[in-house]
Amino acid sequence: MAATFRRRLQRGAASTAVAALVLAALTASQAPGATGAAAAKRRPAPPPADVPIDGGSAYYTDLPPLKSPVPPHGSPHTGKGPATGRGPAEAGLPATVLAAYKKAAAEIDASDPGCRLPWQLLAGIGKVESGQARGGAVDAEGTTLRPILGPQLNGHGFARITDTDAGRYDGDLTHDRAVGPMQFIPSTWSNGGPEGGGWGADGNGDGKKDPHNVFDAALAAGHYLCAGGRDLTAQDDLDRAILGYNHSDEYLRTVLSWYAFYRNGTHEVPDGKGVLPVHRDAGRSGDDSGGRSEGKRHHGRGPGGRPDKSPRPGGSDKPGKPGKGQQHHPGEPGRPDGTRPTPGDTEPPTQKPTPTPEPAHPTTLVRVGDKDLTATAGTEFATPPQVRAQDAQGKAVAGVPVRFTLPPATDARFPGNATTVTVTTDKDGLATAPTLRAGDRTGDFRIRVSTVRHTAPAVEVGATVKAKPAPKADKLARTSDKELTATAGKAFAEDAVEIKATCQGEIAAGVAVTATMVTNDPQRPVENDKGPYFKDPEATGDAEDKPVRTLTGLTTDANGLLKLPKIYTDAHSGTFLLRLSTADGAVLTVKLKVAAPAGS
């Protein structure tokens, strides 16, 4: 059983009232018929696993302010469009984190529409698990700037899970820790989930499943919440999904509170500017979680599961009563140092945050140019892949991260031998990939172009790699004028025949040449059946000595030179002809003189 957390503030009737308001809001917001026959047809949700998805580790228990955000036009926000309501600072969600939640919900809605996953539920879990990735401390790709690690799952107040990932995700070689913005335990990320393949997901399309990336983690959390045929508009399925994440009634109430709060409206704030939980841990032991304990409520149990006797924040050691200087009312702003005003303090008037203009969101990506890209094998494409990001009104959207991804079927590459690159749209909404170089593999392929943070549909850019044109030669010439002679039954000297190919006086490298022993008929030379011959270099056994009088597949080197293989003779003497030719019509005829053996 995962550890439960006790909130020192707003207990008793106030806590009960908050829970009642949350459940009432959720019930009112459900779609008509959500608990009717349609929901009944879906398979029942499975019971929570023995070990919760986050290992039952610590979590934030701050509740949202009682004052909800003001939804647009005075109506509850449904999550179908941009959330533009304004209100308490807690309603501001970091841009990249918010984009990850919406992108994950949109993908799951397309693959499992019966689940009806709202992105606000992911936001509620993300708030409780990691404070929205520590207020949006992520890079442009959505990866946390530093790891978010839970306490060591060593059985002291949490589940006991010995190391399963060799420290790959959590850096711990003895026990697992919950990792990332959505706090997956490594064993669940890699080995749990559907058919033992793990819940890990690739939410941003970079080909990796990284629990420290908010896009990947949000999509994985969404799949988990929808597992077992759940319909999240049904209260029982919703409760079971949340309890499966962390099996604690306190956790359930806290997540539901934030879920209801976010459904009333949110707004986007810059990454790193999200509101962090105001409370700090005191007396915590055994948690070197890389900063995750900061802002976390104490789990109420010390090592070994015994009640924790450590002092409470603010100096009070009685549960349920705030310490001096720590009195808190939901929604009340705190001082920069995290303390709260006490009676008699002179508190300056609270300054309302300056509203941030709602940024434009791309709804479509449009290819620039209607022709597919073409290049010759081994050369650069003359035109780089390019798309334009547009909003619903067709206006350009700047500052949108766009990813270009090459398929495995091609060996074309971006600089640095990269198969994916991410660029940001300019002021005209244009995203231009860096120079693309074709490989040796010919044929057609398609470049996938998608947004990193947003749900605009991906587009494809076609490309074709053409074969290199065959090298040409308009002249063949011997490199030596020495007469070529041999005695019948013997062989000519090694490398007796060397030629050079040129095209308009320039070296012609890589030119295919055919060598044929021909008859003396100048009008119609045909392959001779006697006289000098070659041997098949690939023949074995008795076939090794079989005469070969036509060789193909000969190619000039980088200097346009070609040395013919060794030439043998049979018992015939006389003057014979060797004809060398190219596909472009260049021809060279070489005389081979064979003398009769002495005394014959």
PDB file of all heavy atoms in Angstrom, residues 178-192:
ATOM      1  N   ALA A 178      10.984   6.854  -8.665  1.00  0.00           N
ATOM      2  CA  ALA A 178      10.096   7.410  -9.680  1.00  0.00           C
ATOM      3  C   ALA A 178      10.827   8.524 -10.418  1.00  0.00           C
ATOM      4  O   ALA A 178      11.569   9.297  -9.813  1.00  0.00           O
ATOM      5  CB  ALA A 178       8.823   7.940  -9.039  1.00  0.00           C
ATOM      6  N   VAL A 179      10.632   8.600 -11.739  1.00  0.00           N
ATOM      7  CA  VAL A 179      11.419   9.534 -12.545  1.00  0.00           C
ATOM      8  C   VAL A 179      10.519  10.371 -13.446  1.00  0.00           C
ATOM      9  O   VAL A 179       9.452   9.937 -13.878  1.00  0.00           O
ATOM     10  CB  VAL A 179      12.461   8.788 -13.414  1.00  0.00           C
ATOM     11  CG1 VAL A 179      13.466   8.063 -12.554  1.00  0.00           C
ATOM     12  CG2 VAL A 179      11.783   7.809 -14.362  1.00  0.00           C
ATOM     13  N   GLY A 180      10.966  11.584 -13.721  1.00  0.00           N
ATOM     14  CA  GLY A 180      10.350  12.424 -14.726  1.00  0.00           C
ATOM     15  C   GLY A 180       9.144  13.214 -14.278  1.00  0.00           C
ATOM     16  O   GLY A 180       8.697  13.100 -13.134  1.00  0.00           O
ATOM     17  N   PRO A 181       8.599  14.025 -15.177  1.00  0.00           N
ATOM     18  CA  PRO A 181       7.473  14.903 -14.830  1.00  0.00           C
ATOM     19  C   PRO A 181       6.230  14.155 -14.374  1.00  0.00           C
ATOM     20  O   PRO A 181       5.448  14.674 -13.587  1.00  0.00           O
ATOM     21  CB  PRO A 181       7.199  15.656 -16.140  1.00  0.00           C
ATOM     22  CG  PRO A 181       8.447  15.545 -16.939  1.00  0.00           C
ATOM     23  CD  PRO A 181       9.041  14.236 -16.566  1.00  0.00           C
ATOM     24  N   MET A 182       6.026  12.924 -14.864  1.00  0.00           N
ATOM     25  CA  MET A 182       4.845  12.157 -14.476  1.00  0.00           C
ATOM     26  C   MET A 182       5.202  11.010 -13.534  1.00  0.00           C
ATOM     27  O   MET A 182       4.366  10.172 -13.218  1.00  0.00           O
ATOM     28  CB  MET A 182       4.121  11.618 -15.712  1.00  0.00           C
ATOM     29  CG  MET A 182       3.695  12.692 -16.696  1.00  0.00           C
ATOM     30  SD  MET A 182       2.608  13.948 -15.989  1.00  0.00           S
ATOM     31  CE  MET A 182       1.025  13.136 -16.115  1.00  0.00           C
ATOM     32  N   GLN A 183       6.462  10.957 -13.085  1.00  0.00           N
ATOM     33  CA  GLN A 183       6.912  10.069 -12.021  1.00  0.00           C
ATOM     34  C   GLN A 183       6.600   8.587 -12.268  1.00  0.00           C
ATOM     35  O   GLN A 183       5.900   7.936 -11.497  1.00  0.00           O
ATOM     36  CB  GLN A 183       6.343  10.527 -10.682  1.00  0.00           C
ATOM     37  CG  GLN A 183       6.967  11.818 -10.169  1.00  0.00           C
ATOM     38  CD  GLN A 183       8.428  11.630  -9.759  1.00  0.00           C
ATOM     39  OE1 GLN A 183       8.714  11.160  -8.658  1.00  0.00           O
ATOM     40  NE2 GLN A 183       9.341  11.986 -10.643  1.00  0.00           N
ATOM     41  N   PHE A 184       7.132   8.062 -13.351  1.00  0.00           N
ATOM     42  CA  PHE A 184       7.057   6.628 -13.611  1.00  0.00           C
ATOM     43  C   PHE A 184       8.224   5.934 -12.922  1.00  0.00           C
ATOM     44  O   PHE A 184       9.347   6.433 -12.930  1.00  0.00           O
ATOM     45  CB  PHE A 184       7.145   6.346 -15.116  1.00  0.00           C
ATOM     46  CG  PHE A 184       5.860   6.509 -15.855  1.00  0.00           C
ATOM     47  CD1 PHE A 184       5.431   7.764 -16.248  1.00  0.00           C
ATOM     48  CD2 PHE A 184       5.078   5.408 -16.165  1.00  0.00           C
ATOM     49  CE1 PHE A 184       4.241   7.916 -16.950  1.00  0.00           C
ATOM     50  CE2 PHE A 184       3.891   5.549 -16.863  1.00  0.00           C
ATOM     51  CZ  PHE A 184       3.461   6.810 -17.257  1.00  0.00           C
ATOM     52  N   ILE A 185       7.969   4.762 -12.352  1.00  0.00           N
ATOM     53  CA  ILE A 185       9.100   3.976 -11.872  1.00  0.00           C
ATOM     54  C   ILE A 185       9.717   3.267 -13.084  1.00  0.00           C
ATOM     55  O   ILE A 185       9.002   2.887 -14.018  1.00  0.00           O
ATOM     56  CB  ILE A 185       8.687   2.963 -10.775  1.00  0.00           C
ATOM     57  CG1 ILE A 185       7.489   2.121 -11.219  1.00  0.00           C
ATOM     58  CG2 ILE A 185       8.395   3.662  -9.475  1.00  0.00           C
ATOM     59  CD1 ILE A 185       7.104   1.062 -10.212  1.00  0.00           C
ATOM     60  N   PRO A 186      11.034   3.125 -13.125  1.00  0.00           N
ATOM     61  CA  PRO A 186      11.701   2.564 -14.311  1.00  0.00           C
ATOM     62  C   PRO A 186      11.146   1.217 -14.744  1.00  0.00           C
ATOM     63  O   PRO A 186      10.994   0.959 -15.940  1.00  0.00           O
ATOM     64  CB  PRO A 186      13.166   2.464 -13.879  1.00  0.00           C
ATOM     65  CG  PRO A 186      13.327   3.561 -12.876  1.00  0.00           C
ATOM     66  CD  PRO A 186      12.021   3.595 -12.123  1.00  0.00           C
ATOM     67  N   SER A 187      10.814   0.336 -13.767  1.00  0.00           N
ATOM     68  CA  SER A 187      10.310  -0.984 -14.137  1.00  0.00           C
ATOM     69  C   SER A 187       8.969  -0.878 -14.842  1.00  0.00           C
ATOM     70  O   SER A 187       8.658  -1.676 -15.727  1.00  0.00           O
ATOM     71  CB  SER A 187      10.179  -1.859 -12.883  1.00  0.00           C
ATOM     72  OG  SER A 187       9.360  -1.220 -11.915  1.00  0.00           O
ATOM     73  N   THR A 188       8.161   0.106 -14.475  1.00  0.00           N
ATOM     74  CA  THR A 188       6.861   0.290 -15.129  1.00  0.00           C
ATOM     75  C   THR A 188       7.044   0.919 -16.501  1.00  0.00           C
ATOM     76  O   THR A 188       6.349   0.567 -17.454  1.00  0.00           O
ATOM     77  CB  THR A 188       5.951   1.180 -14.267  1.00  0.00           C
ATOM     78  OG1 THR A 188       5.813   0.591 -12.977  1.00  0.00           O
ATOM     79  CG2 THR A 188       4.590   1.341 -14.892  1.00  0.00           C
ATOM     80  N   TRP A 189       7.989   1.831 -16.621  1.00  0.00           N
ATOM     81  CA  TRP A 189       8.220   2.490 -17.905  1.00  0.00           C
ATOM     82  C   TRP A 189       8.707   1.491 -18.957  1.00  0.00           C
ATOM     83  O   TRP A 189       8.253   1.502 -20.097  1.00  0.00           O
ATOM     84  CB  TRP A 189       9.248   3.601 -17.729  1.00  0.00           C
ATOM     85  CG  TRP A 189       9.522   4.380 -18.977  1.00  0.00           C
ATOM     86  CD1 TRP A 189      10.516   4.161 -19.892  1.00  0.00           C
ATOM     87  CD2 TRP A 189       8.778   5.496 -19.469  1.00  0.00           C
ATOM     88  NE1 TRP A 189      10.433   5.071 -20.914  1.00  0.00           N
ATOM     89  CE2 TRP A 189       9.379   5.905 -20.682  1.00  0.00           C
ATOM     90  CE3 TRP A 189       7.662   6.191 -19.009  1.00  0.00           C
ATOM     91  CZ2 TRP A 189       8.906   6.981 -21.429  1.00  0.00           C
ATOM     92  CZ3 TRP A 189       7.189   7.267 -19.750  1.00  0.00           C
ATOM     93  CH2 TRP A 189       7.803   7.658 -20.947  1.00  0.00           C
ATOM     94  N   SER A 190       9.630   0.600 -18.564  1.00  0.00           N
ATOM     95  CA  SER A 190      10.268  -0.276 -19.542  1.00  0.00           C
ATOM     96  C   SER A 190       9.680  -1.675 -19.612  1.00  0.00           C
ATOM     97  O   SER A 190       9.684  -2.294 -20.671  1.00  0.00           O
ATOM     98  CB  SER A 190      11.770  -0.390 -19.237  1.00  0.00           C
ATOM     99  OG  SER A 190      12.391   0.862 -19.315  1.00  0.00           O
ATOM    100  N   ASN A 191       9.177  -2.186 -18.484  1.00  0.00           N
ATOM    101  CA  ASN A 191       8.796  -3.593 -18.452  1.00  0.00           C
ATOM    102  C   ASN A 191       7.340  -3.849 -18.089  1.00  0.00           C
ATOM    103  O   ASN A 191       6.854  -4.959 -18.247  1.00  0.00           O
ATOM    104  CB  ASN A 191       9.673  -4.357 -17.447  1.00  0.00           C
ATOM    105  CG  ASN A 191      11.150  -4.183 -17.734  1.00  0.00           C
ATOM    106  OD1 ASN A 191      11.559  -4.277 -18.867  1.00  0.00           O
ATOM    107  ND2 ASN A 191      11.938  -3.915 -16.706  1.00  0.00           N
ATOM    108  N   GLY A 192       6.636  -2.837 -17.575  1.00  0.00           N
ATOM    109  CA  GLY A 192       5.241  -3.051 -17.224  1.00  0.00           C
ATOM    110  C   GLY A 192       4.356  -2.801 -18.418  1.00  0.00           C
ATOM    111  O   GLY A 192       4.762  -2.879 -19.559  1.00  0.00           O
TER     112      GLY A 192
END
